Amino acid sequence: MIGGKKKKAEVEVVTESELENASLDEMLESDVLESDDAVALDENGDEIGAAPKLDPLQQAEAEVGELNDKLLRMQAEMENLRKRTRREVADAHKFGVEKFATSLLDVVDNLERALEAEQGNEEAVREGIQLTLNSWHDMMKRFEVARIDAVGTDFDPHLHEALTQMPSDEPEGTVIAQHVAGYTLHGRLIRAAKVLVSSGPAE
Amino acid sequence: MAKVIGIDLGTTNSCVAVMEGDKAKVIANSEGDNTTPSIVAFANDERLVGASAKRQMVTNPDNTFYAVKRLIGRKFDSAETKHHHELVSYPIVAADNGDAWLEVDGKKMSPQEVSAITLQKMKKTAEDYLGEEVKDAVITVPAYFNDSQRQATKDAGAIAGLNVLRIVNEPTAAALAYGLDKTEENHLIAVYDLGGGTFDISVLEIGDGVFEVKATNGDTFLGGEDFDQVLIKYLAAEFKKEQGVDLMADKLALQRLKEAAEKAKIELSSSQQTEVNLPFITADATGPKHLLIKLTRAKFEAW
């Protein structure tokens, strides 16, 4: 409040003594009047008051005041943003699997339906379970989970894990059986296919 | 500097956003959804808003208010109100000044007051996200809203404790979101707004960052839900042809069919074909039955 009064008086002084420099005064006046940092300005203004030529300095002070104000706002905004980002990252961890989990629920529902199905319709129940499995594969594809089927291909340690090696009619190094399929997520292996590898024809 | 929020107060869903830098950021509500159903319910002493209000709709049809936007700022004896009255389950009454109001437990309530409850939820969503109180807001309305509807929307904001800085036309907001105000010369653009239950088109003239709505029209009873209906009917008809069972008559099966149809529709936006796979959709004397139907985008578009 006091600062505000002081400011007004000062502006008047400035405008009286520096009339010739009208454009600068206008700038100053608008800066002083619009700035929320009036108090800081005044304090600086008092110091400058003694100097005969105060225009450039006062203008600079006004600018500093304005920039300081901007900086403070920016810092507050940054702090808020940091808090928000931290919360968003935490939420992403906590709820990141939400879509995946929701999709899985359809599969679970269908498995429950399969169990609830009346006895004696084995064929139809089997068909339903097959469709449920298909829907699970579709869902995995949507989440970029791809299946690796290894049988008949060359053993590749980047994708396959050899459980054992045994003689077979297939050439040496060929996968002849698969214990479980492998899977990749976004192209990165999340589980190697566990396989049996041919050691070539038996001697 | 206090943040100003932007609210899209929709007929079926509402959305709130805030500017972050030069980009608008849509804020997810406490349930993690980007949009909140514009539904308000009064159940015993409890007031429900959004998804929870929607979920209890069938058990509380008299006191669950949806699509209130179709009534806001309208007269009770207007043709629109009459049409709307035939479609909804809640009571609509005439206020002393002739406006269309609602009735909650025998008490009259304005559509503004009901909309304010949705707006309050949007305000709260923004406040939780920003970590500070929000006072100022901009709310969008259809370009065809008249002064009375705009004023009523503003009043709803005030009841919700918001200082409504501006009522902005929806097509204008859409054009702004695409940065169309940044172009130098004057030009005309058409904005299509295909919503859940309404389909609007507006022609805007833009010049020097100022938007003028030249013309606006649309179908207030056509939207994405109608596309779902077409799919549901097709799937049910196909299933009946193959299996001889009418899924439309089975409430539980129909519910699954509805969800699957919407999902298929969304999938056909990004892929050329999809499969509707609903194991154990129903059962008869011969055992469980499964629905498996392939859909192509070409076929869907040809309907």
Side-chain angles (χ1 to χ4, degrees), chain A residues 146-160:
Chain A
R147 181 183 164 104
I148 303 165
D149 280 310
V151 176
T153 65
D154 288 342
F155 175 73
D156 177 356
H158 298 294
L159 300 174
H160 312 147

Side-chain angles (χ1 to χ4, degrees), chain A residues 73 77 80-81 84 87-88 98 106 110 113-114 117 121 124-125 127-129 131-132 134-135 138 142, chain B residues 1 3 20 25 31 128-132 256 263 267 275 277-280 285-288 290-292:
Chain A
R73 288 183 198 286
E77 178 67 14
N80 274 338
L81 194 67
R84 275 207 297 274
R87 201 172 54 210
E88 274 183 305
E98 184 183 333
D106 286 336
N110 285 329
R113 288 185 183 107
N121 296 302
V125 172
E127 194 189 330
I129 293 173
L131 288 172
T132 304
N134 293 352
S135 78
D138 282 347
R142 270 202 296 281
Chain B
M1 203 166 51
K3 290 265 189 185
E20 282 187 352
K25 155 99 185 176
E31 293 94 48
D128 287 348
Y129 175 74
L130 293 169
E132 62 187 37
R256 281 182 77 190
K263 214 164 110 190
E267 264 181 29
E275 200 176 64
N277 180 356
L278 294 171
F280 305 99
T286 66
H290 322 296
L291 183 148
L292 183 70

